[in-house]
Amino acid sequence: VTPLVRRRAFRDGLLTSITNPKLAVFFVALFPQFVDDRAAVLPTTLLMAALIVVFDFAWYSGLAVLVSRAKREVMRTRVARWVERTTGAVLIALGVRVALEQR
């Protein structure tokens, strides 16, 4: 994967996360209960938000690396074809079930 593709994927993910309105609702609903009555609201809230960003970035970066390595290892074996065929069969079965379902 080229650096340009990686940068574009990172940019798209960041833009998607920043523009997600559920995130703002989550912060507004969750953070006030953890701010002390005597503490300054803005710095405390910004600190909590920064911690969530740092933890999420570390978690999802690690997860992406692990999944990428696992995919590379699995794709080298015959297991990959078995997984693809099994997944395809399950999706076809679900499609048939939906098509035959009475409404």
Side-chain angles (χ1 to χ4, degrees), residues 7-62:
R7 258 188 258 129
R8 180 173 290 152
F10 181 77
R11 183 203 64 205
D12 290 349
L14 184 64
L15 185 63
T16 300
S17 293
I18 289 173
T19 58
N20 185 355
K22 291 182 286 187
L23 186 62
V25 171
F26 174 75
F27 285 161
V28 169
L30 182 71
F31 285 173
Q33 61 187 335
F34 296 106
V35 176
D36 188 21
D37 293 339
R38 295 176 299 275
V41 174
L42 185 61
T44 305
T45 304
L46 289 176
L47 176 64
M48 286 189 282
L51 285 172
I52 286 178
V53 168
V54 168
F55 291 144
D56 280 355
F57 183 78
W59 169 255
Y60 288 118
S61 295

